[in-house]
DNA sequence: GCGCCTTAGTTTTTT
DNA sequence: ACTAAGGCGC
């Protein structure tokens, strides 16, 4: 039965679906049915008889691609297995893998994630002796970002520096040299970073016209989602692939550009009609997602933008409450208030219809603890990746050296697990492997039984590899003793994580694909999908393109949202504004913004007063309902014309002693033991002092300070709560610094310590 | 020279 | 928690 597109789409959406030939640019406002349009167009192409394998769907995440495919399949009632879909990076690598001769690289290739690239960069910098002893010299992470930005924006390193960090211009020459060395190192070791994938594909297409023709013939219809977040090389790749036919549809929203920091170029979307002659421009402006009060707020956020966005979303969803602005005493009580809100919302909505969003991954830590304590399930997106954990990288490194023996980063991980082998030895061995220096290798194996064991294991793994899952399981078995030694406190948890990874690996037939996906996607995220019973926690970046009935947005204070790093440059601040716009437009029915009066900083000495976000300060009071936490922890609603924004005073009432302690300890899961809970409660009653920077916990210092301190022996001690620990320093003030296995460094009053004889 | 431990100083977003 | 740098011992 033919699909009745006309009844399911509005006129603009319908136009986008019906025009299947030639270039089309769809400017799609937030919530304007962009995905719906793409899905229907996909279905229509196939219903017209287009071979699914000739459709290429480039999206921001693979999750987005697979969601579109499954929705289109539902619509069509048939499978769309052949449609190519995924990120530019994944598509690029998959294409390169199919045409290894075109890459220009000899041998196998390994994709580096951020951590791997930092490793290489550290090696390159120290190898050149760059900035040695110079505190003003940028750190490897910064250098990596700088070089990546220069490649993505296609500017010289010096140009990037003069725009974004002119104080580093004196180092420009050294940094250019580092960039060269970094490139050479990667080439010599068969390593590709994220940027290389795109540029290598472009080079391959330009150098091999036959390959280009083949790909053009294959990908007759191209659709690109989130086009505003593409960079220059991505736009050129699309142009190359689209060819003369130009059957390309780009979908995007200039107001939602949030990836300029990694080189995305909003100009791409604006210049699309110029680059593709005869572009049909279609605007989707009606919002089907949010209620009008929510849109009033998001429109206001955009109105403050420096760049003009010719956009004013309107909705037919007239009703609904205004967004709420909740002023909490601290970020700790914010977490408690958010949990209460979630509990209330869960009575009306499925948990998966509720999302808590934040600017940076770490901003949800205290909320995660609170949710754990309440037994509320959640799924977190964004922030640290599972595959970036040290134990995962260690275990996977065994597979990597088997796949690509030139992968020096993986060799270093594998070999430094062996006692007495450090970076230098590991790299020497990696070089010997690459140059097939059997003599050196034999001598090393003879000298160190640990090395002998590793090599024997790797030979075994190489000779009878089996699938990725089988290989990983064997690697985990081999790695377990080292894991136990390295992480005596929590190796069971890490082992369980590796077991999970083996489960993920089962679905891969080829090692190379498994390793690539590990670097390109978050396999855990892909696998878990959406759980109905779990509230969603996500960074705003990872929330892009998604929607929820209720959205809670945390930490709307200067330095956090907008991020501290963005305050220096107007362009960065504008991106933060668009980020806030993206965050708020995720909400369908309810939107709650949290403004804590104080925020806790690990580095900056405990809790400090915070200023409501400048984006909040500039909002008209009529756009939201303001609620304020009272001393009892309840919320009161401020009457209209009551105290306005300016009167909000940051309060330093520390109601979060308990949370501070648990946050500090960094124990992510499980509940507190009753002994610990008692101690925490006690410390709250006794009015524990705010914490010492970096180390303190609520019960580390107490009001009465006994002892004169500064002396006393080092050695092992017992503590009522933390158990056995090692005294590493006597600090004076009657305090000592003690390292407790599993709890980390603490500053503790001597009177709470019992020294072991 | 090299491995390994200690100590001091920091956390943005993602492929 | 995680990195970089400095110190110690082989």
């Amino acid at each position: 039965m033919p699909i009745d597109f006309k009844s399911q789409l509005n006129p603009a959406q319908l136009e986008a679906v019906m025009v299947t030939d030639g270039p089309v640019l769809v400017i799609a406002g937030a919530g304007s049915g962009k995905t719906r349009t793409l899905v229907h167009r996909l279905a229509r192409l196939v219903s017209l008889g287009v071979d699914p394998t000739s459709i290429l769907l480039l999206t921001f995440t693979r999750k987005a691609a697979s969601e579109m495919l499954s929705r289109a399949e539902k619509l069509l009632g048939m499978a769309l297995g052949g449609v190519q879909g995924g990120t530019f990076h994944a598509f690029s690598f998959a294409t390169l893998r199919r045409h290894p001769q075109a890459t220009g690289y000899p041998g196998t290739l390994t994709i580096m994630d951020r951590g791997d690239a930092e490793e290489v960069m550290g090696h390159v910098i120290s190898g050149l002796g760059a900035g040695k002893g110079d505190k003003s010299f940028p750190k490897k992470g910064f250098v990596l970002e700088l070089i990546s930005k220069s490649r993505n924006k296609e500017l010289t390193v010096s140009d990037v520096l003069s725009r974004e960090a002119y104080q580093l211009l004196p180092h420009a020459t050294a940094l250019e040299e580092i960039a060269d060395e970094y490139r050479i190192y990667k080439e010599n070791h068969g390593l590709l970073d994220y940027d290389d994938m795109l540029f290598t594909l472009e080079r391959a297409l330009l150098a091999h016209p036959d390959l280009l023709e083949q790909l053009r013939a294959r990908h007759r219809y191209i659709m690109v989602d989130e086009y505003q977040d593409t960079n220059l090389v991505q736009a050129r790749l699309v142009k190359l692939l689209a060819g003369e036919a130009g059957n390309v549809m780009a979908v995007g929203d200039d107001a939602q550009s949030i990836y300029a920091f990694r080189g995305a170029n909003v100009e791409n979307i604006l210049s699309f009609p110029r680059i593709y002659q005869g572009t049909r421009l279609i605007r989707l402006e009606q919002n089907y997602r949010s209620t009008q009060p929510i849109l009033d707020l998001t429109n206001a956020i955009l109105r403050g933008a420096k760049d003009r966005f010719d956009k004013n979303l309107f909705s037919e969803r007239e009703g609904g409450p205004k967004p709420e602005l909740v002023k909490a005493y601290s970020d700790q009580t914010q977490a408690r208030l958010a949990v209460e809100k979630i509990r209330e919302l869960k009575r009306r909505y499925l948990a998966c219809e509720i999302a808590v969003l934040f600017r940076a991954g770490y901003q949800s830590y205290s909320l995660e603890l609170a949710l754990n304590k309440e037994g509320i399930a959640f799924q977190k997106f964004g922030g640290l990746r599972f595959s970036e954990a040290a134990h995962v990288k260690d275990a996977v490194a065994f597979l990597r050296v088997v796949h690509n023996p030139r992968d020096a980063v993986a060799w270093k991980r594998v070999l430094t697990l062996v006692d007495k082998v450090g970076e230098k030895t590991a790299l020497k061995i990696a070089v010997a492997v690459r140059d097939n220096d059997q003599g050196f290798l034999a001598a090393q194996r003879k000298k160190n039984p640990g090395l002998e064991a590793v090599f024997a294991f790797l030979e075994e793994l190489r000779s009878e590899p089996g699938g990725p899952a089988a290989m990983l399981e064997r690697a985990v078995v081999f790695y377990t003793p080292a894991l136990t030694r390295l992480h005596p406190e929590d190796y069971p948890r890490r082992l369980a994580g590796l077991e999970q990874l083996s489960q993920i690996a089962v679905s891969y037939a080829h090692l190379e694909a498994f390793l690539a996906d590990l670097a390109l996607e978050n396999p855990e995220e892909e696998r878990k999908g959406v759980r109905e019973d779990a509230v969603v926690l996500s960074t705003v970046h990872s929330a892009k393109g998604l929607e929820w009935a209720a959205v809670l947005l945390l930490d709307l204070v200067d330095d956090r949202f907008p991020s501290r790093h963005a305050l220096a440059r107007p362009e960065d601040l504008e991106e933060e504004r668009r980020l806030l716009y993206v965050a708020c437009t995720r909400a369908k029915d309810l939107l709650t913004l949290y403004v804590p009066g104080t925020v806790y900083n690990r580095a900056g000495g405990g809790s400090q007063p915070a200023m409501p976000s400048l984006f909040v300060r500039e909002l008209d009071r009529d756009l939201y309902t303001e609620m304020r936490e009272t001393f009892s922890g309840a919320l009161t609603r401020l009457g209209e014309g009551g105290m306005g924004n300016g009167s909000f005073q940051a309060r330093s009432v520390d109601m979060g002693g308990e949370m501070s302690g648990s946050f500090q300890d960094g124990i992510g899961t499980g509940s507190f033991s009753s002994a610990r809970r008692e101690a925490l409660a006690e410390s709250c009653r006794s009015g524990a002092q705010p914490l010492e920077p970096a180390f303190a916990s609520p019960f580390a210092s107490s009001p009465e300070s006994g002892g004169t301190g500064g002396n006393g022996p080092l050695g092992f001690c017992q503590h009522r709560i933390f158990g056995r620990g090692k005294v590493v320093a006597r600090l004076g003030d009657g305090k000592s610094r003690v390292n407790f296995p599993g709890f980390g460094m603490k500053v503790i009053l001597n009177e709470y310590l019992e020294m072991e004889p």
Side-chain angles (χ1 to χ4, degrees):
Chain A
M1 188 171 60
I3 304 163
D4 183 5
F5 292 103
K6 219 167 172 172
S7 70
Q8 296 184 26
L9 302 167
N10 73 23
Q13 293 171 338
L14 187 66
E15 187 186 356
V17 168
M18 300 314 272
V19 179
T20 52
D21 290 319
V24 182
L25 176 63
V26 179
I27 303 285
S32 61
K34 176 191 71 167
T35 305
R36 184 182 185 78
T37 304
L38 278 169
V39 165
H40 278 79
R41 191 170 196 260
L42 206 53
R44 173 158 151 85
L45 283 172
V46 174
S47 71
L48 285 175
V50 169
D51 180 356
T53 59
S54 67
I55 301 172
L56 175 61
L57 181 62
L58 293 169
T59 54
F60 213 68
T61 62
R62 190 165 52 185
K63 201 165 62 180
S66 61
E67 192 192 316
M68 280 184 212
L69 286 180
S70 72
R71 278 175 60 176
E73 282 174 355
K74 227 181 253 171
L75 201 60
L76 275 166
M78 65 177 276
L80 288 174
V83 175
Q84 294 266 302
T87 63
F88 274 92
H89 293 85
F91 168 75
S92 299
F93 190 67
T95 305
L96 291 170
R97 206 155 56 89
R98 273 197 294 272
H99 307 279
Q101 77 292 345
T103 62
Y105 285 88
T108 47
L109 294 172
T110 304
I111 296 175
M112 297 192 293
D113 65 15
R114 167 78 193 240
D116 300 329
E118 280 198 15
E119 187 89 44
V120 170
M121 186 55 74
H123 184 248
V124 166
I125 291 175
S126 64
L128 286 170
K132 216 170 176 184
D134 180 355
K135 286 234 163 158
S136 78
F137 200 83
K139 308 232 176 305
K140 63 185 178 190
F142 182 95
V143 178
L144 199 62
E145 242 157 61
L146 173 73
I147 292 170
S148 175
K149 207 172 237 183
S150 103
R151 298 184 70 198
N152 279 293
K153 293 193 185 262
E154 303 187 17
L155 299 167
T156 65
V157 167
S158 300
D159 282 340
V160 176
L161 285 179
S162 27
R163 286 169 192 221
E164 302 190 10
Y166 58 87
Q167 74 282 7
L168 293 175
L169 272 172
H171 299 305
T173 319
L175 290 166
E176 302 267 11
E177 196 184 347
I178 290 170
D180 269 349
E181 280 298 313
Y182 173 65
R183 179 179 51 75
I184 292 164
Y185 188 97
K186 287 182 297 177
E187 283 169 9
N188 286 340
H189 295 89
L191 297 168
L192 292 185
D193 66 19
Y194 291 123
D195 306 330
D196 291 327
M197 285 183 260
L198 306 176
F199 287 109
T200 305
L201 179 61
E202 185 188 33
R203 258 203 322 270
L205 296 182
L206 292 174
H208 299 84
D210 51 322
L211 174 61
L212 180 59
E213 275 318 310
Q214 191 186 330
L215 290 179
R216 280 182 180 173
R218 173 170 184 166
H219 306 298
R220 305 296 303 172
Y221 294 89
I222 301 175
M223 289 188 250
V224 190
D225 195 10
E226 310 282 10
Y227 199 74
Q228 77 282 353
D229 284 322
T230 55
N231 64 18
L232 290 168
V233 64
Q234 286 168 331
R236 288 199 303 272
L237 282 173
V238 173
K239 177 69 181 164
L240 276 171
L241 292 169
E244 292 310 309
N247 285 333
V248 53
M249 172 187 265
V251 182
D253 178 3
D254 50 352
Q256 293 187 64
S257 151
I258 54 174
Y259 281 98
F261 74 90
R262 67 169 208 210
N265 184 16
V266 193
E267 290 298 311
N268 283 348
I269 200 165
L270 305 175
S271 60
F272 187 94
R274 240 193 359 263
I275 288 164
Y276 295 91
Q277 296 296 315
T279 291
R280 190 82 79 98
L281 177 68
I282 297 167
R283 303 180 77 92
L284 307 182
E285 280 195 309
Q286 175 154 12
N287 182 296
Y288 295 92
R289 179 186 295 156
S290 310
T291 62
Q292 193 60 45
I294 291 174
L295 287 187
D296 288 342
L297 183 100
T298 61
N299 285 333
I301 291 167
L302 226 44
R303 232 173 283 133
K306 294 278 185 302
D307 324 306
R308 284 281 162 66
F309 295 102
D310 180 18
K311 201 155 280 129
N312 202 18
L313 294 179
F314 60 95
S315 175
E316 283 180 352
R317 302 191 56 200
E318 278 297 337
K322 284 183 190 177
E324 269 180 18
L325 184 95
V326 175
K327 287 186 166 169
Y329 284 122
S330 69
D331 47 0
Q332 303 301 334
T333 63
Q334 165 187 256
R336 188 179 53 71
L337 291 170
V339 168
E340 277 166 23
K341 185 80 179 176
I342 289 167
R343 247 205 307 248
E344 174 201 322
L345 289 168
K346 276 182 55 153
R347 287 200 283 269
R348 275 186 289 162
Y349 296 106
L350 280 175
C352 64
E353 275 294 322
I354 305 165
V356 184
L357 307 183
F358 32 83
R359 175 68 181 81
Y362 72 90
Q363 286 170 276
S364 68
Y365 289 166
S366 47
L367 179 64
E368 289 169 42
L369 285 167
L371 289 171
N372 271 331
K373 210 154 67 169
E374 296 289 320
I376 299 174
F378 64 85
Q379 279 183 291
K380 185 172 174 181
F381 298 92
L384 285 180
R385 277 184 187 207
F386 168 70
S387 60
E388 280 165 8
H391 58 287
V392 174
K393 304 212 77 173
D394 282 345
V396 170
F398 288 96
L399 277 58
R400 280 175 53 167
V401 296
V402 168
H403 169 248
N404 173 10
R406 295 190 303 157
D407 182 347
V409 180
W411 274 117
K412 200 200 124 180
R413 286 208 92 90
V414 163
L415 296 172
T416 50
L417 291 172
V418 176
D419 207 25
K420 306 249 189 284
V421 178
E423 182 173 357
K424 301 282 175 178
T425 311
L427 291 180
K428 267 189 233 167
I429 292 175
V431 168
V433 169
R434 193 190 60 188
D435 301 341
N436 202 21
D437 182 351
Q438 290 299 333
F440 180 77
L441 292 177
Q444 289 290 326
R445 288 172 70 154
K446 206 158 191 179
K447 209 162 72 182
N448 191 332
L451 280 179
E452 171 57 36
V454 167
F455 275 99
F457 171 67
L458 286 174
E459 275 154 19
E460 192 186 307
L461 202 57
R462 188 190 312 271
S463 60
E464 32 172 325
M471 289 178 81
L472 185 61
E473 289 202 23
R474 294 171 73 169
V476 169
V477 170
F478 183 82
Y479 172 61
T480 299
L483 178 74
T484 339
R485 179 166 48 82
L486 253 38
H487 306 279
E489 291 309 312
D490 64 347
Y491 68 89
R493 182 183 65 79
R494 290 172 191 262
L495 215 45
L498 289 171
E499 193 43 53
Q500 257 192 327
L501 187 64
S502 295
Q503 292 306 310
I504 294 168
V506 168
S507 55
Y508 289 88
H510 298 289
L511 180 55
E512 185 168 50
F514 175 59
L515 294 175
D517 275 6
L518 225 39
L520 285 173
E521 331 256 347
N522 190 338
E524 201 195 19
E525 210 166 275
E526 301 276 336
R527 197 181 51 86
K528 63 191 179 191
V530 174
R531 273 175 47 196
E532 270 199 356
D533 62 332
V535 174
V536 171
L537 271 50
S538 175
T539 61
V540 181
H541 282 90
S542 295
K544 186 178 156 95
L546 305 176
E547 61 177 27
W548 294 273
V551 168
L552 285 60
L553 186 55
L554 302 184
D555 280 349
L556 277 163
V557 296
D558 282 353
D559 283 11
R560 292 207 168 182
F561 205 154
S563 142
R564 184 164 50 84
H565 301 269
L567 291 169
R569 294 178 66 238
E571 301 95 304
D572 292 346
L573 200 58
E574 287 303 292
E575 182 148 308
E576 298 287 307
R577 177 189 297 283
R578 294 190 296 269
L579 198 55
L580 179 63
Y581 174 74
V582 168
C584 293
T585 51
R586 301 305 97 199
K588 292 195 268 194
D589 304 346
L590 298 167
L591 173 64
T592 307
L593 311 179
Y594 288 87
V595 179
T598 66
V599 289
Y600 181 84
N601 285 312
R602 268 159 192 262
S607 283
Q608 288 179 334
M611 182 69 130
S613 168
L614 72 98
F615 300 132
V616 168
R617 298 202 303 271
E618 71 183 25
L619 285 177
D620 195 298
R621 275 293 323 264
D622 297 341
L623 293 169
Y624 55 83
T625 309
E626 183 170 331
M627 315 282 279
R628 185 171 299 189
E629 182 180 9
T630 63
F631 187 73
S632 65
L635 282 178
T636 58
R637 179 176 167 159
L638 293 194
E640 306 296 324
M643 290 184 285
N645 288 321
S647 68
F648 180 69
Q649 292 287 316
R651 299 272 300 268
S652 56
V653 178
D654 187 0
M655 307 184 54
E658 180 172 356
M659 289 305 303
S660 307
S662 42
F663 183 36
Q664 281 275 322
D665 292 341
I667 296 169
T669 52
S671 56
F672 295 111
S673 70
S674 59
R676 288 193 66 204
R677 212 190 317 259
E678 259 175 57
L680 291 162
E682 185 182 297
S683 80
C684 288
R685 277 195 299 276
S686 69
Q689 315 226 313
L691 321 170
E692 278 214 4
F695 296 116
S697 73
F699 27 95
S701 52
S702 85
E704 68 282 321
S705 175
T708 47
N711 45 29
L714 301 183
F716 288 92
C717 64
Q718 288 287 338
H719 183 270
R720 194 159 62 93
I721 312 300
F722 298 125
R724 190 165 187 266
K726 187 178 177 187
V727 181
V728 295
R730 298 289 184 178
L731 298 175
D733 290 347
K735 295 172 191 168
S736 298
R737 182 169 297 158
V738 187
N739 193 352
F740 294 99
F743 296 94
M745 259 339 157
K746 302 276 173 203
V747 174
I748 308 274
L749 280 171
N750 291 340
E751 65 195 68
Y752 291 157
L753 299 176
E754 251 184 60
M755 294 307 295
E756 286 182 6

